[in-house]
Each structure stands twice: as C-alpha cells, then as structure tokens.
Amino acid sequence: MQPFDHRSTIPEPAGLRTAYAGSLNETRVGEVVQICGWVNRIREHGEHLVFVDVRDHTGVVQCVVPRSENLHPEWVVQITGTVTERPEGTDNNQISTGQIELRDPSVRVLAEAEPIPFSLDERIELDEATRLRYRYVDLRRSRMQRNLRLRSVVNSAIRRSMEEQGFTEIETPLLWTPTPEGAREFLVPSRTQPQNFYVLPQSPQIAKQLLMVAGFDRYYQIARCLRDEDLRADRQFEFTQLDLEASFVTQHDIHRFISHAIIAVVQAVSPGTTVDIDTITWHDAMNRYGSDKPDRRFGAELHDVTAIFADTTVKALTATSVQAMVAPLPLSRARLDELVDRAKTLGAKGLLWLRVEETDGQLSLNSPVSKFLTPNEQEQLITTLGAQPGDTILMVADEWEKAVTVLGQIRLGLGKQLTSDDVLDFFWVIDFPLFEGLDEFGKPVSAHHPFTMPNEDDFALLDTDPLSVRSQSYDLVLNGWELGSGSIRIHTSSIQSKIFEVLGIDEETARSRFGFLLDAFKYGAPPHGGFAFGIDRLSALLAGEDNIRELIAFPKTQSGSDLMTGAPKQVDQEILNQLGLRPAARSKD
Amino acid sequence: MQPFDHRSTIPEPAGLRTAYAGSLNETRVGEVVQICGWVNRIREHGEHLVFVDVRDHTGVVQCVVPRSENLHPEWVVQITGTVTERPEGTDNNQISTGQIELRDPSVRVLAEAEPIPFSLDERIELDEATRLRYRYVDLRRSRMQRNLRLRSVVNSAIRRSMEEQGFTEIETPLLWTPTPEGAREFLVPSRTQPQNFYVLPQSPQIAKQLLMVAGFDRYYQIARCLRDEDLRADRQFEFTQLDLEASFVTQHDIHRFISHAIIAVVQAVSPGTTVDIDTITWHDAMNRYGSDKPDRRFGAELHDVTAIFADTTVKALTATSVQAMVAPLPLSRARLDELVDRAKTLGAKGLLWLRVEETDGQLSLNSPVSKFLTPNEQEQLITTLGAQPGDTILMVADEWEKAVTVLGQIRLGLGKQLTSDDVLDFFWVIDFPLFEGLDEFGKPVSAHHPFTMPNEDDFALLDTDPLSVRSQSYDLVLNGWELGSGSIRIHTSSIQSKIFEVLGIDEETARSRFGFLLDAFKYGAPPHGGFAFGIDRLSALLAGEDNIRELIAFPKTQSGSDLMTGAPKQVDQEILNQLGLRPAARSKD
C-alpha cells in the first residue's frame, strides 16, 4: 500500500494566513502570500540574510529573511512575502516547495519560544518518557502529525461507511453500572449517593444489545472504552472501537457491514489499494497456522504428520498429535537451540528439528534424531512437507491444541524474516468453539460471553459433547493481529437458559450478573449480532507503527501515568469526604 | 422549519428481511417480500383472520394473518407475504403503507414477548420514571426513534462540515488530571497507584489548547464531557459537545467555522430551511433584551427611559437606570401582582406597571403610580415606547445591570405567549466583558477563564478601568438558549502575566493551577481560539423537545440514578481495598 500522506489535504486558508506552506510551488511564482507557522530551521545566507524555513502541518517553505529580524527555532511567525523561483542550482527536489522561496518578507513575530527540549528531526531516536512529558512538542514532528491525521481519516471513513449502510450513531453512557465480577472496571464514586459507584464501560456490549431490543435495527458508535488492566506495550487504559450491532441479520451480514468499513478505511488512507477479505474457520487456522489470529503473509504452514509416526519408537514423537513445518531458511545451531527453549517455555515437551540436505541428488535429514527415524518415515516427511535442500523441518508432538499452538508460535517467531510490511492481509476467522475448556467443576467455560449463539447445527451437541459445539462468533484479523471480534447473540430465553444450564450458572447468579438485560429480553428481542474492532490498533497497522501510543495524542505510560499532566494525583481529603471515602491501608493482594 | 422525518431514510434490507415496512406502497403491489419487526397491533378481521400491524423503525405494515398463528403485541416476527392493494374503501391515507397490505403470509415467530409495561401510543402521557426503568421499551416509541435518529443526523452533519473546513478529529483523554479547584470533577481512583486519582474531563479545554501548541492547526472532536453538578431539568452528568480549536485565526473565523456547521445541521435535519446567523454585542443584548442570551423571537424590547425621569419625585424611579418595556398584552391585576413579586424575587426593589388606555383618541396611563408622573413624563414614555392602547408598560429602576436583567427576565416570562416554536433564531453575542465584577479583595473576577484574550483596543484599560475591558469571547444563542461559548485565547506569557496580575493570581498559584499549559506556551504557542457547543441542547431544540433527556438513549434522573441499570451501586470492599480506599462517615458539609 501507498503510505498515508497527511500533507495532501490542505485546508482553505483563513485568518492570519493567505496560504499554507505546503501549497506553495512554482505555479504560484509572483504571488504575495502570508504564511504562518513555526521557524523550523535557520541557515546562513551571507552577511545580511538568513534562510528561515517556516513550518506548518502541510510543509516547510524557505524564506529569505534579514538577519536583523533575529528569529530563533520554534518561534511563531507570520511572514508576508513574494513567491519567487529559487536561483538555479539551489532548488530542492526532496520537498514540494523546493523550487521556490519567499522573498522580500515582512516578518511578524507572533510568539517567541524557549529552546525546545529535543530536536524534531525524525532521524533522531528519542527517549519515550521525554517525548511524553513534552508531548505538545513531540506532536509537532511530521511522524506524529501524520499518525494522528491518519487516525482522523480512519474514523471519518468508518463513519461514512456506517452511514451508507444505514447505521444510526447512538451514544451510550460513560457512567455505567458495576457488575459483580468487574475486576477490570474503573470505578467512579458518586457524590449524590456517597459510597455508591458508577463504572466506566469496558465496552457498550449490554447497552447496544438493549438498543436492539429497543428497535434501533442498526446501531454504531466509535466508542471510548476503558479497562483497568495491566498495560502492556499494545494496551492503554482507554481505547476506541468501532462498535456495531444489527438486528434480523446473520453473521454474513455483519461480515459484510464490517468489510465495507474496512475497505473504505484502506481506500481513504491509501487510495488505490485493494483489499480482499476472505474467511477461514478456526479449525483451519489452528491446523494450518497454529493460531486463531494467524499471520498469513508468509507460508511455512503446519502439517499434521501424526500418521507418519504411528509406529515410531521415538518417545518424543509418541503423542496424539505430531505437527511439522518447514522453515525455508538456514537456521544456525544456536538459533535452533533457542527455538527448542522457546517451545519448552511455551509448554511443549520439546521441539525436534531436522535439516534437509542434498547429497548426490538425494535428500536426507540431518538431525540428532534422524538416526531413530526409519527411511520410510524420513521419506514420507520430506514428501508431505515438500521440503527442499536448505530447509529446516520443525516438529512438535503433544495433544493437538498444544502441538499446533506451540509450533504456531515458533512459526510466528520466524515470520519476521519472511514477511513484507507492505501487505495488508485481512480475513475473518469463523466457527470458534463456543466453550474454551472445562472449569474446576467440570463445567464448560464460555469462550466469549454467555450470550454468544451456538451454531444451529450443533445444538444437539450441547448435552453430549459441549466442547465441540461451534459458536456463531467471528474475529477479524489483520496481519496476525486480532482487530476485533463479534458474534450473533442469543435472543430467546429458552436458548439462554440452556446455555446457563450447560455453564452451570443458576438463575440467581444469572439475574445478579445480567438482570436488566434478561428483563429486557422478555419484552421481545430481535435476533441480533454485532462486532467491535479496535481503531487504535487498526490505525497503528495502517501507519506502520508497532505501538498504539504513536497513534494517541496523550497516551499513558505502562504504569498508567500521564507524564505531561502528572495524573493520577492525590486529591484533598475534603473531596473524598464528600464521596464518603477515605484512604485505607492497601490490601496485600 | 419542517420537522425531522426519521422514516425518510430506509436502509438497504439485509439478512432476514427483503424489505423494510416503510418501503412498501402501491408501487410494489405483486411483490413477495419478507419483513421483520414487532407486532404493533392486532385487530379483528372475521372468523379466521386478523389484521396484524408489523412495525419496524421505518413504518408499520398491515398483514392479513390467520388467527391460528396466535400472535401477540410486541412479539418479534418475520412475515413473508405478497404486497396487495387494500380492498376499496379500506385504505388509510395517514400512513405511507396505507394503500397496501401483506396477504397470504407465512409467519415465523422469532421471539415471544410478555405484555410490555406501558403502551407505545404517543398520545398517552407516561410517568418518566417508568419510561426510564424500561427504557428499551420506551425507545421503541416513534418519538424516541425520531429523536435519537435526529441526533445521529446532527452529529453527522457537524462532522461533514468540520471535515470540509479542514478540521482534524483528535481524541483527547477521558482519564485526565485533577485540578486544585476541581469541585465538579468526577474522580476515578487509580489501581496501579492507589490513593491517586484521575478525573473525567469537564471539557477538553486544556488538551485542545495543547494541540494548538502541537501544531494541529484545526482540531475538532465531538467530545464526551462529564460534570459532577446538581442535575437540573436541562442538565446531565454526561454531555456531548462539538469542541473546536483553530490556530492563526480571529474570532470572525471561528464564527464562520461554527456557523457553517450549524447551517449544515439545520439543512440535514430540515432540508430547505435557511438559517442566517447574525451578531449582537453583549451590551446591545443587555440593553435591548436584558439578557446575554436573549430570546429574540418576539419584540417587547427594553428601552432606557432614565432621561425621562431625570427630575422625577417618585422615589421608586430615582435610580441610575430606569428601564421600560411594553407588553403587547392585556395583563390582569393578579398577573401584574405576580410580576411585581417575581421582580422582587429577582432582586429589584419593585416593578412599576402602567396600562395604556385610550379615551377620546387620547392615550393615557392607568396605574397606581400614574398620578405621580407629570403629563410630560407620561407623554414621553408613551412616545418613546410607541405604546398602543391595550399595552402594558413595565418598568424597573435600579443600577443598570440589575434593571435590565430583571426586566429582561420579566420579558422572558411573557415570551411564551408571544413566540412561535417554528422559528430558529441563531445569533452570536460578542464583546462580553472580560471580568464579571470584583471579588472580596477588590480584584476583578474572570468572566470565563483566565486565558481569554482581551479586546486589543482595550489593553490600556486593564489598569485604569478593568471592568470595562471587553474580551474576545463569544456565545452562540438559539431561541434564548446559550448553545455554546468560546474565545480567542491568550498565547503569550506577557499578556498572560498581565492578566494574572490584574486578577491577583500570583505565580505560584498560577503554576499549581495551570502548570503544564503555561510550560507548553513557553515553547512557541500560536495565536488560537475555539468554541464548544452542546449537542444535547441543539438536538433537543431541533426536535422540539424541552428536555434533553428525550435526546439521550440512557439518561440519568435528577438524583443521578440510572433507573434501568440501578447505577450507582455499592461494590465489594475487596475492590475498594485495591484502590486504597474505604468507606468513611460522610462529612456534614
């Protein structure tokens, strides 16, 4: 895809300017223009003159200014001057304004500036803490201007797509109700009702289902969500998602709605880029990539080779499932040892590796284990995998899910050397299991939430083989990142009761956890389903950024601090008094 | 204006339906369609058949259904049937589907429903508490469907306008930093840093100014704001505003940006309605209407009649300012007594009234006070006010601001009888005073916030006559409601220091209150200004609703309760422990 160019959109000038810097080029030679911006750089130009580059978000323009103006970097100026062709040989083909400069300027200093705490030069690596402390300076950098403007384009394209598809934007409350297990909810103490609390929503899930009961048919919101969780590199307390729900639809309709939005986003960010969003089942994804959010930008797929080793005497291969893949790379012994360690860390008993070598036109396997494999096993392995000289075969033997998952992780680790960043591989993963295992009481555990509709073909299995029941839930994956997930919801009491029964949730518990939603459903709930995807992550991937913080104006650190404002902070006891609270010794857990 | 019609937009059908109810009419006779929705009403139609009206948000369609289907109101159904012309004489011209009905239907019940707690009939007045408790039922009513969909159209039009004008949407944090005087801020306890707090933003004011320092040039956001204040009829803890800030602009540019958005909104809600947004100074608004957010939909303007009574002997008219207005209404003695009481409640010493009467072609004033007025005073009063027989003249004498304000309130009270709801009167109020009086130490008090830029012509008055300094702030008013306000901000330390000095704010206090903003301004702040207007109120006015709760999906009551979810609620002590908090006796104040 073409990278997003935030400078391609230039607003109509107003106020103190008659032109944006980036709009100036050789077609405007002779015009007197008034530009406003920051002094980007000052360079010598003889005894009486200096070159002053003035920057706004659309670009930089060179002004030839008397030295006596005594400007300094990051001063804010208004410059009125004549667009003039640069003297021959002094033009700069790197920038759109490189053929011209402003001459005979009148300069008005709008604000002076102290030296800024770090350079805006993109090539300089900066400490993130310093960047966040002076975020208002950091955001002046072209990269950050581009990132936040890209995000704005993403939001806009999503909204346009939603409107085209007949969705109504509805705002749901930020002050929501605590739920019994709300360990990750931010609390908001009430002042009118001391010692009572609202919570900030982790998502508008319940609210949007209620909107379906209310007959809103197609709802969307670019929703702010808050989750009080440990902040990892790719998480923030606050995140933003496209949240969508529709009635009287199947999962295919939901896929279509969301795919439409995704395609609109990609088109808006990178015009001309085409996107094709295909579908893969969870089972296929696990079998082929060992992941429910596979990175398919490279091959090296997994193969089930259990049958080949049915009669093996090698203990390490005696398992219900043997999974193999080919790394199309020469891997050093040190690297292979690392991979073995990694597989063990991931919970496998080990990782077998075999180097594929060629001697006199014959392929052979070079490995500490190869002498324990029969020639037939070796030949079948090479043939099944289509292995070539120079390849390395990697194998994990374990129960199926463990084997594919561990080998999938190994595969992913090798992927960095095999992928191109330029590809956008969007796809749907469908047919997830409804349950993700058994709890300590032997009851199935919901993979998503207990309102997820089972696949109608699998209803009969709820009693006999619940772990094989597929759900009507689905994820959207981009380049190995889960962008979002959704499901068709249960909308009738009879199916809901059945699921609660399978989960071992009694009526009282169900009522205390989901009371008002269950109440609502009594009054006629339409079949409905929805989806939500994270806009922080999507924008980051489209901007080519690893970290979502680069797409957030004022992010928090991994300890949840805002280095610019100093939040969170202590407050006066008097304020806590009004809330009926006081500080307490912190509990140990 | 034409009222908004939410039924005019019909999405492309998908999923379980091939048509929306509202799309069916005589042009589709003969088609077999599949509709989905709620049973709206069931009426008798002979021994074996019933009429079943099926409702979706686009309309209602009549289906002729076998009685044996045994449907009930609010059941959710899918009906496949043939669009058929109604038998002659049975059509209904009140609704767009009134010429047709669905015949030979196959009916699928998608969900049964218990009887709903109240009727959806618009004509029935409902208790608001019941509506809020069962909001998901209440929202099925056509009025609420229309209101929330109108709001969605408002948001959409605002965003399109902002984009057209080159504004970038940027999300600012919901978890913000406490400020020392943050009495109205909702606190959010931190779990990673127990006994420390974030606050929810009352507005993105500081953040958006930082975005200007960061060079974003034109920022907007449809921002969720939270203010922990007493809930009056027209307030909620949560509200939504268009928040906008731009650099290198004057206040006229800001007016233009916002006016563009307002015009776009009105056009979207009521196509064909034209809007003209004019400007009035604060001084004019006060002089003519006794209000800084006047309702100009009716006349009855105030007149300064101080000069007429320069030599009066009437004590009640001996004041620095005498203000008069004409009520073009006959007012009973009881009503006049009420107005006198109201004027006193508002802080005036009284209210003088004089009935204008005609005897033999001569106008005279009938009032307990008239005998104390000279014939010349009476004549001048009648002439100045252009009073007509049947009018009532009302007067308040006091210092100027009190006199105009009280009479302005009296005027407003009479306005309900004089206005038409159909008019949209938008206008700007400019040239507000920078300060709104003196504090206990004789220092001026900021009318808005201390970053508001004074009018540059009035800089010299800061030392000599601060109360007469005009600010570069401005309000947008619609039909007597202040929709929003904004200002050009101070962007240099020298002016900011001057203002702090006038306000008597020392450097230490300034730092503790506004530290990181002042820091940011050191690094080169552009001239900038902005605006914010409330979308709840604007939407309510456009929907013809008095109460913003009618435009909010899940509002809270005046005590801050969510009657549907039960929020706010108590939470486990274990959760409070993690936050380092425990319940305390509530303080008395």
Side-chain angles (χ1 to χ4, degrees):
Chain A
M1 59 177 288
Q2 283 294 312
F4 174 70
D5 180 9
H6 72 276
R7 297 180 163 184
S8 62
T9 312
I10 295 178
E12 194 68 28
L16 311 185
R17 48 159 80 92
T18 64
Y20 280 90
S23 71
L24 301 179
N25 54 41
E26 53 277 32
T27 67
R28 303 187 66 172
V29 165
E31 270 183 59
V32 176
V33 296
Q34 205 160 50
I35 59 162
C36 290
W38 285 259
V39 171
N40 200 49
R41 207 149 70 106
I42 300 171
R43 282 160 301 133
E44 295 301 320
H45 185 42
E47 195 181 343
H48 300 293
L49 295 173
V50 288
F51 288 125
V52 174
D53 287 347
V54 176
R55 180 189 74 239
D56 64 29
H57 74 275
T58 66
V60 165
V61 71
Q62 174 171 300
C63 307
V64 182
V65 173
R67 182 182 296 277
S68 58
E69 294 285 355
N70 193 30
L71 299 178
H72 297 275
E74 300 307 311
W75 282 29
V76 184
V77 293
Q78 179 191 46
I79 293 190
T80 313
T82 308
V83 182
T84 311
E85 216 163 331
R86 292 194 193 182
E88 221 178 302
T90 67
D91 50 351
N92 173 354
N93 289 318
Q94 304 295 304
I95 56 175
S96 68
T97 64
Q99 312 301 316
I100 57 96
E101 60 195 10
L102 291 195
R103 289 236 162 216
D104 309 318
S106 103
V107 176
R108 184 173 154 214
V109 173
L110 300 171
E112 301 186 357
E114 290 185 11
I116 54 174
F118 47 82
S119 164
L120 302 185
D121 191 323
E122 296 295 328
R123 291 160 301 188
I124 294 170
E125 189 77 29
L126 294 171
D127 164 47
E128 198 188 10
T130 309
R131 290 178 55 202
L132 293 179
R133 165 130 174 57
Y134 299 97
R135 189 61 158 180
Y136 39 82
V137 173
D138 186 44
L139 292 176
R140 288 182 189 168
R141 299 194 301 147
S142 180
R143 170 188 177 191
M144 297 309 291
Q145 289 281 327
R146 179 186 64 115
N147 285 355
L148 295 195
R149 289 171 191 278
L150 177 149
R151 186 176 176 140
S152 170
V153 166
V154 169
N155 279 359
S156 168
I158 290 172
R159 290 203 187 91
R160 259 201 316 279
S161 161
M162 288 294 108
E163 288 178 18
E164 280 171 33
Q165 298 182 88
F167 282 79
T168 300
E169 179 189 14
I170 299 176
E171 295 170 48
T172 53
L174 285 176
L175 299 177
W176 193 242
T177 187
T179 49
E181 65 281 311
R184 293 165 147 200
E185 292 170 342
F186 280 105
L187 293 188
V188 181
S190 162
R191 196 181 313 242
T192 44
Q193 299 176 49
Q195 296 170 18
N196 283 274
F197 299 84
Y198 306 98
V199 302
L200 299 174
Q202 297 188 49
S203 88
Q205 182 65 38
I206 304 286
K208 71 177 173 176
Q209 292 194 242
L210 292 172
L211 289 172
M212 293 302 105
V213 177
F216 275 97
D217 203 56
R218 295 185 187 177
Y219 142 92
Y220 91 98
Q221 185 179 199
I222 292 191
R224 306 288 292 268
C225 306
L226 296 104
R227 196 170 297 164
D228 190 0
E229 63 187 344
D230 293 337
L231 298 173
R232 284 175 278 145
D234 62 327
R235 292 283 171 91
Q236 286 274 303
F237 285 151
E238 305 184 38
F239 56 99
T240 303
Q241 65 186 27
L242 168 65
D243 193 57
L244 169 156
E245 196 82 8
S247 295
F248 304 111
V249 295
T250 66
Q251 64 169 303
H252 304 295
D253 298 301
I254 303 283
H255 297 179
R256 202 159 42 80
F257 296 142
I258 294 288
S259 296
H260 186 282
I262 291 289
I263 289 166
V265 164
V266 174
Q267 286 290 334
V269 168
S270 180
T273 303
T274 54
V275 170
D276 174 49
I277 308 181
D278 63 338
T279 299
I280 182 173
T281 65
W282 176 82
H283 221 269
D284 247 26
M286 295 298 282
N287 270 331
R288 293 170 58 189
Y289 307 101
S291 169
D292 58 3
K293 48 180 189 219
D295 191 337
R296 308 188 310 179
R297 289 174 297 171
F298 58 100
E301 293 189 17
L302 277 48
H303 292 262
D304 188 319
V305 292
T306 317
I308 298 175
F309 299 105
D311 303 319
T312 187
T313 56
V314 180
K315 209 176 151 218
L317 289 170
T318 314
T320 52
S321 174
V322 184
Q323 298 292 329
M325 65 169 276
V326 167
L329 293 166
L331 296 170
S332 70
R333 182 60 191 256
R335 185 76 200 281
L336 288 167
D337 289 344
E338 274 171 32
L339 294 180
V340 171
D341 287 346
R342 172 117 174 89
K344 287 179 179 163
T345 309
L346 291 167
K349 291 192 243 2
L351 174 80
L352 298 178
W353 55 262
L354 307 101
R355 291 197 174 111
V356 184
E357 292 177 352
E358 183 170 23
T359 322
D360 304 331
Q362 281 291 102
L363 294 187
S364 66
L365 296 175
N366 176 356
S367 163
V369 82
S370 51
K371 61 175 175 258
F372 303 110
L373 305 184
T374 66
N376 186 35
E377 285 169 345
Q378 296 197 28
E379 197 192 313
Q380 278 197 60
L381 190 61
I382 290 169
T383 313
T384 304
L385 299 177
Q388 300 295 324
D391 288 349
T392 312
I393 295 173
L394 303 171
M395 295 201 289
V396 174
D398 214 307
E399 51 86 19
W400 171 77
E401 192 158 346
K402 172 79 78 188
V404 293
T405 307
V406 172
L407 198 55
Q409 285 295 309
I410 297 294
R411 172 184 176 275
L412 204 58
L414 296 169
K416 289 208 178 75
Q417 291 166 257
L418 303 171
T419 46
S420 150
D421 275 345
D422 236 25
V423 175
L424 294 179
D425 181 38
F426 287 97
F427 56 96
W428 292 100
V429 182
I430 61 167
D431 288 348
F432 277 81
L434 185 62
F435 306 108
E436 61 180 13
L438 301 176
D439 68 11
E440 62 207 280
F441 310 107
K443 290 288 185 184
V445 177
S446 286
H448 285 74
H449 53 63
F451 312 116
T452 305
M453 182 73 100
N455 188 311
E456 282 162 40
D457 296 336
D458 296 352
F459 276 167
L461 297 169
L462 280 169
D463 290 314
T464 56
D465 185 11
L467 293 187
S468 75
V469 174
R470 292 164 300 166
S471 71
Q472 295 191 49
S473 70
Y474 32 86
D475 282 1
L476 179 65
V477 178
L478 169 57
N479 293 357
W481 289 91
E482 182 203 314
L483 283 186
S485 65
S487 63
I488 298 297
R489 330 295 183 185
I490 296 170
H491 72 283
T492 65
S493 325
S494 57
I495 303 175
Q496 191 65 66
S497 299
K498 179 72 206 170
I499 295 296
F500 283 150
E501 179 200 318
V502 173
L503 290 168
I505 297 178
D506 62 32
E507 199 175 326
E508 194 187 343
T509 309
R511 282 213 64 76
S512 83
R513 286 169 67 183
F514 314 111
F516 58 93
L517 183 64
L518 300 179
D519 279 348
F521 277 22
K522 290 190 302 197
Y523 297 110
H528 63 285
F531 198 76
F533 68 74
I535 291 176
D536 305 272
R537 174 58 56 201
L538 174 61
S539 303
L541 289 167
L542 293 175
E545 294 283 2
D546 289 334
N547 194 309
I548 57 168
R549 288 196 292 275
E550 305 296 354
L551 275 292
I552 296 173
F554 302 109
K556 295 189 172 55
T557 65
Q558 283 174 280
S559 64
S561 294
D562 182 330
L563 299 180
M564 182 183 70
T565 67
K569 283 181 185 165
Q570 295 200 328
V571 298
D572 285 351
Q573 179 57 43
E574 196 189 322
I575 291 176
L576 291 186
N577 285 346
Q578 293 169 12
L579 306 173
L581 296 174
R582 59 183 170 134
R586 197 186 176 188
S587 78
K588 297 246 161 52
D589 48 16
Chain B
M1 61 177 287
Q2 284 293 312
F4 174 69
D5 180 9
H6 72 277
R7 297 181 163 183
S8 63
T9 312
I10 295 178
E12 193 68 29
L16 311 188
R17 50 159 77 92
T18 64
Y20 280 90
S23 71
L24 300 179
N25 55 40
E26 53 276 33
T27 67
R28 303 186 67 171
V29 165
E31 269 184 61
V32 175
V33 296
Q34 206 159 52
I35 59 161
C36 290
W38 285 259
V39 171
N40 200 50
R41 207 149 71 106
I42 301 172
R43 283 161 299 134
E44 295 301 320
H45 185 41
E47 194 182 346
H48 300 292
L49 295 173
V50 288
F51 287 125
V52 175
D53 287 347
V54 176
R55 179 190 74 238
D56 63 30
H57 72 276
T58 67
V60 165
V61 72
Q62 173 172 300
C63 306
V64 182
V65 173
R67 182 183 296 278
S68 57
E69 293 286 355
N70 193 28
L71 299 178
H72 296 276
E74 301 307 310
W75 281 29
V76 184
V77 293
Q78 180 192 45
I79 294 190
T80 312
T82 307
V83 182
T84 311
E85 216 162 334
R86 293 195 192 181
E88 221 178 304
T90 66
D91 50 352
N92 174 355
N93 288 317
Q94 304 294 303
I95 57 174
S96 69
T97 62
Q99 312 301 316
I100 56 96
E101 60 195 9
L102 292 195
R103 289 237 161 215
D104 308 319
S106 103
V107 176
R108 184 174 153 213
V109 173
L110 299 170
E112 301 185 357
E114 291 184 10
I116 54 174
F118 47 81
S119 164
L120 301 184
D121 191 323
E122 296 294 329
R123 291 160 300 186
I124 294 171
E125 190 76 30
L126 294 171
D127 164 48
E128 198 187 10
T130 309
R131 290 178 55 202
L132 293 179
R133 165 129 174 60
Y134 299 98
R135 188 62 157 180
Y136 38 83
V137 173
D138 185 45
L139 293 175
R140 287 182 189 168
R141 299 194 302 145
S142 180
R143 170 188 177 189
M144 299 308 292
Q145 289 281 327
R146 180 186 65 115
N147 285 355
L148 295 194
R149 290 171 190 277
L150 178 151
R151 186 176 178 140
S152 170
V153 166
V154 169
N155 279 358
S156 169
I158 290 172
R159 291 204 185 90
R160 260 202 315 278
S161 162
M162 289 295 108
E163 288 178 19
E164 278 172 34
Q165 298 182 87
F167 282 79
T168 300
E169 178 189 15
I170 299 176
E171 293 169 49
T172 54
L174 286 176
L175 298 177
W176 194 243
T177 187
T179 50
E181 64 283 310
R184 292 164 147 200
E185 292 169 342
F186 278 104
L187 293 188
V188 181
S190 162
R191 197 181 314 241
T192 44
Q193 299 177 49
Q195 296 169 18
N196 283 274
F197 298 84
Y198 306 98
V199 302
L200 299 174
Q202 297 188 50
S203 88
Q205 182 65 36
I206 304 286
K208 71 176 174 176
Q209 293 195 240
L210 293 171
L211 289 172
M212 293 302 104
V213 177
F216 275 98
D217 203 56
R218 295 185 187 176
Y219 142 91
Y220 91 97
Q221 184 180 198
I222 292 190
R224 306 288 293 267
C225 305
L226 296 105
R227 196 170 297 165
D228 190 359
E229 63 187 345
D230 292 337
L231 298 173
R232 284 175 278 144
D234 61 328
R235 292 285 171 87
Q236 286 274 304
F237 286 150
E238 306 184 37
F239 56 99
T240 304
Q241 65 186 29
L242 167 66
D243 193 56
L244 168 156
E245 195 82 7
S247 294
F248 304 112
V249 294
T250 66
Q251 63 168 303
H252 304 294
D253 298 301
I254 303 284
H255 297 180
R256 203 161 40 79
F257 296 142
I258 294 288
S259 296
H260 187 282
I262 291 289
I263 289 166
V265 164
V266 174
Q267 286 290 331
V269 168
S270 180
T273 303
T274 54
V275 171
D276 173 49
I277 307 182
D278 62 339
T279 298
I280 182 172
T281 66
W282 175 83
H283 221 270
D284 248 26
M286 294 299 281
N287 270 331
R288 294 170 57 190
Y289 307 101
S291 168
D292 58 3
K293 48 180 189 214
D295 190 337
R296 308 188 309 179
R297 288 174 297 170
F298 59 101
E301 292 189 17
L302 276 47
H303 292 264
D304 189 318
V305 293
T306 317
I308 298 174
F309 300 104
D311 303 318
T312 187
T313 55
V314 180
K315 211 176 149 214
L317 288 169
T318 315
T320 52
S321 175
V322 184
Q323 298 293 328
M325 64 168 276
V326 167
L329 292 167
L331 296 170
S332 69
R333 182 60 190 256
R335 185 76 198 279
L336 288 166
D337 289 344
E338 273 172 33
L339 294 180
V340 172
D341 287 345
R342 172 116 173 90
K344 287 180 179 163
T345 310
L346 292 166
K349 289 190 248 355
L351 174 82
L352 298 178
W353 54 262
L354 307 101
R355 291 197 174 112
V356 184
E357 293 177 350
E358 185 170 22
T359 323
D360 304 331
Q362 281 293 103
L363 292 186
S364 65
L365 296 174
N366 175 357
S367 163
V369 81
S370 50
K371 60 176 176 255
F372 303 111
L373 305 183
T374 66
N376 186 35
E377 286 169 344
Q378 296 198 25
E379 196 194 314
Q380 279 196 60
L381 191 61
I382 289 169
T383 314
T384 306
L385 299 178
Q388 300 295 324
D391 288 350
T392 311
I393 296 173
L394 303 171
M395 295 202 289
V396 173
D398 214 306
E399 51 86 20
W400 171 77
E401 192 158 346
K402 173 79 78 187
V404 294
T405 309
V406 172
L407 198 54
Q409 286 295 311
I410 298 294
R411 172 184 176 274
L412 205 58
L414 297 168
K416 288 207 179 78
Q417 291 167 257
L418 304 170
T419 46
S420 150
D421 276 346
D422 235 25
V423 175
L424 293 179
D425 181 39
F426 287 98
F427 57 96
W428 292 100
V429 182
I430 61 167
D431 287 348
F432 277 80
L434 186 61
F435 306 108
E436 60 179 15
L438 302 176
D439 68 12
E440 61 207 279
F441 309 108
K443 291 287 186 184
V445 177
S446 286
H448 285 75
H449 53 63
F451 311 117
T452 305
M453 182 73 101
N455 187 310
E456 281 163 39
D457 296 336
D458 297 350
F459 276 166
L461 298 169
L462 280 170
D463 290 317
T464 57
D465 184 11
L467 293 188
S468 74
V469 173
R470 292 164 300 168
S471 71
Q472 295 191 48
S473 69
Y474 31 86
D475 282 2
L476 179 65
V477 178
L478 169 56
N479 294 358
W481 288 91
E482 181 203 314
L483 281 186
S485 65
S487 63
I488 299 297
R489 330 295 184 185
I490 296 169
H491 72 282
T492 66
S493 327
S494 57
I495 303 177
Q496 191 65 66
S497 299
K498 180 71 207 171
I499 295 295
F500 283 151
E501 181 200 317
V502 173
L503 290 169
I505 297 177
D506 63 31
E507 198 175 327
E508 194 188 340
T509 309
R511 281 214 65 75
S512 83
R513 285 169 67 185
F514 314 111
F516 59 93
L517 183 64
L518 300 178
D519 279 348
F521 278 22
K522 290 191 302 198
Y523 297 110
H528 62 286
F531 198 76
F533 68 74
I535 292 176
D536 306 271
R537 173 59 55 201
L538 174 61
S539 303
L541 289 167
L542 294 175
E545 294 283 2
D546 289 334
N547 195 310
I548 57 168
R549 288 196 294 274
E550 305 296 352
L551 275 293
I552 297 173
F554 302 109
K556 295 189 174 55
T557 64
Q558 283 175 279
S559 64
S561 295
D562 183 330
L563 299 181
M564 182 183 70
T565 68
K569 283 181 186 165
Q570 295 200 328
V571 298
D572 285 350
Q573 179 57 40
E574 196 189 322
I575 291 176
L576 292 185
N577 285 345
Q578 292 169 12
L579 306 172
L581 296 174
R582 58 182 169 134
R586 198 185 176 190
S587 78
K588 298 245 161 52
D589 48 17

